[in-house]
Amino acid sequence: MELPKRDFHHPYQPYGIQIVFMNGLYDCIEDGKVGIFESPTENDEPEWMLEYARQHKRQAFLHQTQELETRLAKIRAREKRQRQHFKNDEPQQKRKRMGKGDPTSEELNDVHFMIDDYQSDGDEDAQKPGACITTDGGLSEATQELMRKLGMVPSGAQSDEEETDDELKIFYCSRTHSQLSQFINELRRVQLPPVVIPSLPRPSERPDTPDSATAGHLKHLTLGSRKNLCINPRVTKLKGATAINEKCLELQRPETPAEQKCLYLPTKDKEAVVNDFRDHVLAKIRDIEDLPALGRGLAICPYYASRPIIRPSEIVTLPYPLLLQKSAREALGLSLKGHVVIIDEAHNLMDAITSIHSITISLSQLKRSRAQLGVYLQRFRNRLKGKNRVYVTQVVRLLDSLATYLHNKITSAKEGECIVKTADLLTGKGVDQINLYKLMHYLQESKLARKVEGYIMDAAEREKKAAKAGLGQPDGKKTEPSVPVLTHIQGFLSTLTDPVAEGRFFFERSEDNKDIYLKYMLLDPTFHFQEIVEDARAVILAGGTMSPMSDYINRLFSYLPSERLTTLSCGHVIPPDNLIAWPVTRGPSGIEYDFTFDQRKSPTMIDELGIGLLGMCHVIPDGVVVFFPSYAYLDQVVQRWQSRTGTSKSMWDRLAEKKTVFRESKENASAEDALHQYSIAIDKGEGGLLLSVVGGKMSEGINFSDRLGRAVIVVGLPYSNIHSSEWKAKIEHVERSTADRGGSPFEAKAAGRELYENSCMRAVNQSIGRAIRHQNDYASILLLDRRYDTERIKDKLPGWIRQGLVQGAARQPFTEITGSLTTFFRAKEAL
């Protein structure tokens, strides 16, 4: 079938499969579908994305122009008045004379940490849709009021003065900011035509420059967290996102002295500066690193000043957590209604959703939060009245119940990990009488956790000042800093209200056996992603290695009718003779490669692996990357290879004679150093053998193109421990869900097995995808294990790998493999 002729404004001549990819994505958006797209080539998205946005804009431009110009005239007039006011008048907060009325006594200061009277306790309030969700992001009332005036509040109602159109948007989401930066760089390379070609004026009236109103300018915004965007030195010097978030909120609290508040927070007097920030951001395509520099230049907070820019933007780039968490979307004011959502690197989407909505607390954290709440109650117990006294008492009882359960487990249980029933966590005195939904509503409305943590931090600060003044700590001991944990504990408590079918609780001992953890793991990501699918015009999951796709179809989108779902798996841009792929089932000695958990530890198997790698390194030039199933197994193999028998050389030394050997470790710094040294060795012509781990740092986001990866070797299949409590719960959930949908017992068991195998093969496919990154690249893919010759495993490999598999390879002797590799690389080097 002939593809439609569309101009995607590609900066270069696209490959044939890229045209197929872009047309498929365009049609998916046009038809309002959910699409799963797999393509091993990179950087295809910007062209079709921009073409769709431009096409929509052309269709709407003519009949919106008059209305748009009217609104723009009002906005320009208002902003002109704001700029004039800002220029001529000193901001109000500077005109305010700093009096001496700030709280000085301890009693007056305590007022700021008191809980407001709580009256909303009706069943209707606690059960209203969204009643347990706060959308203020933890901001003070004054800040919320200010943001409402600026059009920055994440509520459905907009300010009367809000005149900005909510442009058709593409929300482009990826796992990390570095991946988003790659995408943004691609956007900069695309040259767009004008949205509409204006009617030509008379020659004497034609301007020398293009009309900016019709120029093909893209309005792009990148969103980030406080950690990425904060410009306040007192905040940025802190380590960790939690500490930065807490400090930012602390500087906004009403009880914070005026001279200590954040100078960069948008205020009513800074509306003109906020508008200038908006204009600068939309003037050109900017990366996340550009916004803090722009904020410093204008003395305005990029984190908060970015929010009103969302509506007029055409493309918004953001990391996973800001899109996948409903609370984050509400705090930012992100409305996905009628817009396009694209999730790149979507092979780990379900794991990301699970991780975001799972949470772990420890017994030590429970004890600390209970102690902090005790300190708070010691100060304010007599001032708590009515509902406040009732609910705070319930929080104490709930914390005690959880702590008692974990304490009993650490002293009596022998299991390292075990599933926990929700009812077992709620056996404390009076806990069975607690309405958890109403309690969570109270915690959200009263801000109890923040009040307690604020008081604890304030008390610690006062104690520290007293110690410096010689009024405390007479024994010379240092004051231990108090770490606020109640907010984290509150997040865990909210999981107690989740439906039982959605998740499971586990306990797990620490490695030193001195602490014990209580974990909540989300089992079903469907519900948390369903709202995104229902709101958006179209949703695209894209990635280089989306195979096997059955998990997305059967789990994440099980509720969608088949006509709403579309899939596409593209081939590779390379010609078929640039890839050779072998399932290697036997080693040089004829021993069958069996890297199952029970067999892979044998010295014979490890030695046969070393001999096989030695033979491969002899015929494969430049860089060879080997992926092992786990760090533990890699350590075991290296230990065996480095041992010597008599006076003979060790296997490690023999491999080092062929290529310089490097290995990945769990530490980030050493992994990056190993990769750097590996590249240097290959550039010097020494060759390199890089021993890595499936799912490790080298298996995702690293491109072993050209000489860096002439071969990718995968040792065994990296199955997770099926006997772990977490995997037992996952498989049980899938089996039960299949049965609930009318599946037979056989189909339920098959679905559980499918989930387990797919998890393994997605990790394998991601590792394989590190090689061959452009049309002229070439490499070999070697899969070492007898199981790679089974049809079940072959069917879960990406299509371009299946097409490159050597037919009948499993029946060939090892010498045939090395001979074919020799011929393959000699032919490529001769070109």
Side-chain angles (χ1 to χ4, degrees):
M1 184 178 68
E2 186 176 352
L3 294 172
K5 299 292 184 181
R6 292 176 177 137
D7 184 3
F8 292 104
H9 315 295
H10 206 291
Y12 304 106
Q13 180 61 39
Y15 304 128
I17 64 168
Q18 287 180 316
I19 296 176
V20 173
F21 188 80
M22 291 187 286
N23 274 294
L25 289 165
Y26 187 99
D27 290 337
C28 181
I29 296 175
E30 186 70 24
D31 297 336
K33 292 186 175 183
V34 173
I36 306 171
F37 290 82
E38 177 182 63
S39 175
T41 58
E42 296 186 328
N43 305 327
D44 298 328
E45 292 89 345
E47 295 76 30
W48 61 261
M49 289 171 56
L50 299 182
E51 171 62 18
Y52 183 81
R54 292 292 135 185
Q55 181 70 21
H56 183 276
K57 214 168 184 187
R58 291 187 194 102
Q59 295 170 357
F61 185 85
L62 293 177
H63 63 81
Q64 286 183 348
T65 300
Q66 185 70 40
E67 182 183 352
L68 176 63
E69 286 302 320
T70 302
R71 288 198 302 271
L72 287 177
K74 293 180 181 179
I75 294 172
R76 293 188 189 106
R78 185 173 70 247
E79 292 182 0
K80 182 178 180 180
R81 291 193 300 269
Q82 291 170 352
R83 284 193 296 271
Q84 193 67 30
H85 174 77
F86 185 77
K87 181 178 179 181
N88 297 335
D89 297 336
E90 187 179 9
Q92 288 182 1
Q93 67 265 31
K94 291 186 179 180
R95 291 200 301 267
K96 286 181 182 178
R97 185 171 60 89
M98 295 302 297
K100 299 181 180 181
D102 293 328
T104 54
S105 69
E106 188 174 344
E107 291 75 12
L108 187 57
N109 195 43
D110 286 350
V111 173
H112 301 304
F113 304 113
M114 279 290 297
I115 306 172
D116 295 334
D117 289 340
Y118 184 75
Q119 301 296 335
S120 178
D121 194 31
D123 291 338
E124 303 86 5
D125 295 319
Q127 296 176 7
K128 285 179 182 177
C132 292
I133 298 171
T134 179
T135 59
D136 60 18
L139 304 179
S140 67
E141 284 296 329
T143 302
Q144 293 178 56
E145 178 61 27
L146 165 64
M147 293 176 66
R148 276 190 285 271
K149 293 178 181 178
L150 291 175
M152 298 161 64
V153 66
S155 64
Q158 293 292 327
S159 167
D160 293 336
E161 297 184 17
E162 181 60 68
E163 303 281 356
T164 310
D165 270 343
D166 190 9
E167 294 276 4
L168 172 72
K169 265 179 281 298
I170 295 173
F171 289 97
Y172 183 90
C173 178
S174 195
R175 191 170 58 88
T176 65
H177 279 292
S178 62
Q179 291 167 336
L180 292 174
S181 295
Q182 294 175 17
F183 171 77
I184 291 169
N185 288 332
E186 292 302 314
L187 285 181
R188 290 169 175 156
R189 295 165 63 179
V190 179
Q191 299 298 317
L192 292 173
V195 175
V196 174
I197 299 176
S199 57
L200 295 177
R202 291 188 295 273
S204 60
E205 298 175 353
R206 292 179 186 175
D208 296 329
T209 58
D211 183 358
S212 61
T214 59
H217 172 64
L218 174 69
K219 292 181 287 185
H220 164 262
L221 171 67
T222 184
L223 294 174
S225 64
R226 288 182 177 89
K227 187 176 181 181
N228 301 115
L229 297 177
C230 180
I231 59 174
N232 189 325
R234 288 188 294 163
V235 180
T236 56
K237 69 180 181 180
L238 302 175
K239 295 181 179 179
T242 301
I244 289 174
N245 290 339
E246 289 297 324
K247 187 64 175 179
C248 174
L249 295 173
E250 177 191 337
L251 297 181
Q252 300 175 50
R253 290 178 182 139
E255 62 268 20
T256 303
E259 66 273 12
Q260 295 183 17
K261 287 184 180 290
C262 182
L263 299 176
Y264 305 102
L265 190 69
T267 63
K268 183 66 176 176
D269 300 295
K270 294 183 180 180
E271 282 188 86
V273 183
V274 173
N275 292 333
D276 283 345
F277 181 83
R278 174 203 63 201
D279 295 340
H280 280 81
V281 169
L282 296 180
K284 64 178 183 178
I285 297 175
R286 296 181 182 272
D287 205 345
I288 191 72
E289 289 84 3
D290 299 329
L291 301 191
L294 181 59
R296 292 187 191 97
L298 296 174
I300 198 72
C301 172
Y303 178 74
Y304 286 114
S306 294
R307 297 188 182 189
I309 310 177
I310 295 174
R311 288 178 62 84
S313 299
E314 294 171 313
I315 292 186
V316 177
T317 52
L318 67 169
Y320 274 1
L322 297 186
L323 178 76
L324 299 180
Q325 275 185 298
K326 183 176 181 179
S327 59
R329 296 196 304 271
E330 290 177 330
L332 290 171
L334 288 185
S335 171
L336 305 179
K337 196 72 174 178
H339 300 303
V340 179
V341 174
I342 297 147
I343 300 180
D344 197 13
E345 297 292 333
H347 62 276
N348 55 18
L349 173 62
M350 288 187 290
D351 291 338
I353 297 172
T354 298
S355 176
I356 287 171
H357 294 92
S358 300
I359 189 169
T360 300
I361 59 173
S362 66
L363 178 58
S364 59
Q365 287 177 323
L366 284 169
K367 290 180 177 179
R368 192 183 314 140
S369 63
R370 176 63 177 85
Q372 291 177 352
L373 190 56
V375 172
Y376 181 84
L377 287 174
Q378 187 176 4
R379 182 69 184 173
F380 297 102
R381 185 186 304 274
N382 294 332
R383 307 187 204 180
L384 295 177
K385 295 181 177 61
K387 297 296 183 181
N388 281 330
R389 181 185 290 272
V390 171
Y391 281 119
V392 172
T393 302
Q394 290 182 1
V395 173
V396 171
R397 289 179 175 178
L398 195 52
L399 294 179
D400 288 343
S401 182
L402 295 175
T404 300
Y405 176 85
L406 287 181
H407 185 267
N408 291 338
K409 287 297 181 183
I410 202 172
T411 56
S412 61
K414 296 181 180 180
E415 305 96 328
E417 180 186 60
C418 190
I419 296 176
V420 177
K421 295 180 180 179
T422 308
D424 293 341
L425 301 174
L426 308 175
T427 58
K429 180 181 177 181
V431 175
D432 59 335
Q433 303 298 316
I434 296 176
N435 184 324
L436 292 173
Y437 295 95
K438 293 171 72 171
L439 179 60
M440 293 312 304
H441 185 246
Y442 169 79
L443 290 174
Q444 294 281 11
E445 292 295 318
S446 67
K447 306 291 189 298
L448 174 65
R450 257 180 227 297
K451 296 283 187 179
V452 172
E453 291 167 353
Y455 175 73
I456 294 297
M457 295 172 68
D458 183 75
E461 187 66 25
R462 289 202 309 269
E463 187 177 351
K464 184 178 178 181
K465 290 179 179 179
K468 285 184 177 180
L471 302 177
Q473 301 295 328
D475 54 0
K477 293 182 180 179
K478 293 183 179 180
T479 303
E480 290 294 327
S482 297
V483 180
V485 294
L486 193 54
T487 299
H488 180 70
I489 299 295
Q490 179 179 326
F492 182 86
L493 296 181
S494 67
T495 64
L496 295 171
T497 64
D498 287 352
V500 175
E502 281 191 11
R504 287 289 185 277
F505 291 97
F506 307 86
F507 74 77
E508 182 181 46
R509 297 175 181 274
S510 62
E511 292 184 1
D512 58 8
N513 209 33
K514 293 181 179 179
D515 206 350
I516 188 169
Y517 301 98
L518 187 58
K519 302 191 295 183
Y520 172 81
M521 183 180 72
L522 182 73
L523 295 177
D524 190 354
T526 304
F527 172 77
H528 293 280
F529 197 66
Q530 186 172 351
E531 185 174 353
I532 294 176
V533 174
E534 291 175 346
D535 280 354
R537 173 192 176 93
V539 175
I540 304 293
L541 308 188
T545 51
M546 296 297 293
S547 296
M549 295 184 182
S550 58
D551 276 355
Y552 306 98
I553 298 171
N554 298 331
R555 295 186 64 211
L556 197 59
F557 303 122
S558 59
Y559 58 92
L560 286 179
S562 57
E563 61 269 16
R564 177 90 197 278
L565 196 61
T566 183
T567 63
L568 175 66
S569 180
C570 291
H572 213 295
V573 296
I574 60 170
D577 59 358
N578 277 21
L579 170 69
I580 182 172
W582 283 76
V584 183
T585 60
R586 295 184 180 274
S589 304
I591 297 174
E592 187 176 57
Y593 278 143
D594 183 357
F595 293 101
T596 55
F597 186 77
D598 293 333
Q599 299 297 323
R600 70 190 188 190
K601 299 177 183 178
S602 71
T604 302
M605 190 62 61
I606 295 175
D607 292 344
E608 189 72 4
L609 172 62
I611 297 171
L613 286 180
L614 194 64
M616 295 173 188
C617 289
H618 182 70
V619 299
I620 300 172
D622 303 318
V624 175
V625 184
V626 184
F627 287 101
F628 287 80
S630 69
Y631 285 105
Y633 186 59
L634 174 59
D635 291 340
Q636 187 176 5
V637 168
V638 170
Q639 183 179 4
R640 172 71 182 176
W641 285 351
Q642 289 180 340
S643 62
R644 293 187 178 185
T645 304
T647 58
S648 61
K649 293 181 179 180
S650 68
M651 179 58 67
W652 185 269
D653 292 334
R654 294 170 65 187
L655 288 169
E657 289 177 350
K658 299 294 182 183
K659 297 181 183 293
T660 308
V661 184
F662 304 90
R663 61 172 297 189
E664 177 186 345
S665 68
K666 292 183 179 180
E667 290 74 24
N668 281 322
S670 58
E672 293 174 1
D673 182 64
L675 183 61
H676 178 66
Q677 296 300 324
Y678 171 75
S679 303
I680 292 175
I682 292 172
D683 289 340
K684 290 181 178 180
E686 300 172 358
L689 176 63
L690 180 58
L691 307 180
S692 307
V693 174
V694 175
K697 298 171 183 65
M698 305 296 182
S699 66
E700 186 169 346
I702 305 294
N703 295 337
F704 294 103
S705 60
D706 300 313
R707 296 175 65 198
L708 290 177
R710 289 305 181 206
V712 170
I713 301 172
V714 182
V715 178
L717 287 161
Y719 283 111
S720 301
N721 179 11
I722 198 171
H723 301 294
S724 70
S725 297
E726 291 189 6
W727 265 104
K728 285 181 179 178
K730 288 180 180 179
I731 293 174
E732 177 190 338
H733 173 74
V734 171
E735 291 177 352
R736 186 177 59 254
S737 299
T738 303
D740 291 343
R741 292 196 297 267
S744 65
F746 175 79
E747 290 172 331
K749 290 291 183 184
R753 180 181 179 183
E754 185 84 355
L755 170 73
Y756 186 59
E757 288 183 348
N758 287 352
S759 174
C760 168
M761 290 308 298
R762 268 197 301 272
V764 169
N765 294 340
Q766 190 65 18
S767 299
I768 291 173
R770 299 307 92 209
I772 308 185
R773 309 305 295 181
H774 58 84
Q775 187 178 31
N776 298 320
D777 205 356
Y778 59 90
S780 57
I781 307 293
L782 303 164
L783 307 173
L784 276 57
D785 198 293
R786 61 175 177 77
R787 293 169 291 178
Y788 282 113
D789 192 44
T790 61
E791 291 304 316
R792 284 186 63 89
I793 299 301
K794 286 181 181 179
D795 289 344
K796 297 180 187 298
L797 292 169
W800 64 278
I801 294 291
R802 293 198 302 270
Q803 295 170 7
L805 284 174
V806 178
Q807 297 299 318
R811 296 184 294 273
Q812 301 293 330
F814 192 83
T815 53
E816 183 68 23
I817 297 173
T818 54
S820 295
L821 289 171
T822 300
T823 303
F824 175 79
F825 285 110
R826 282 180 178 174
K828 295 303 173 186
E829 290 172 350
L831 295 178

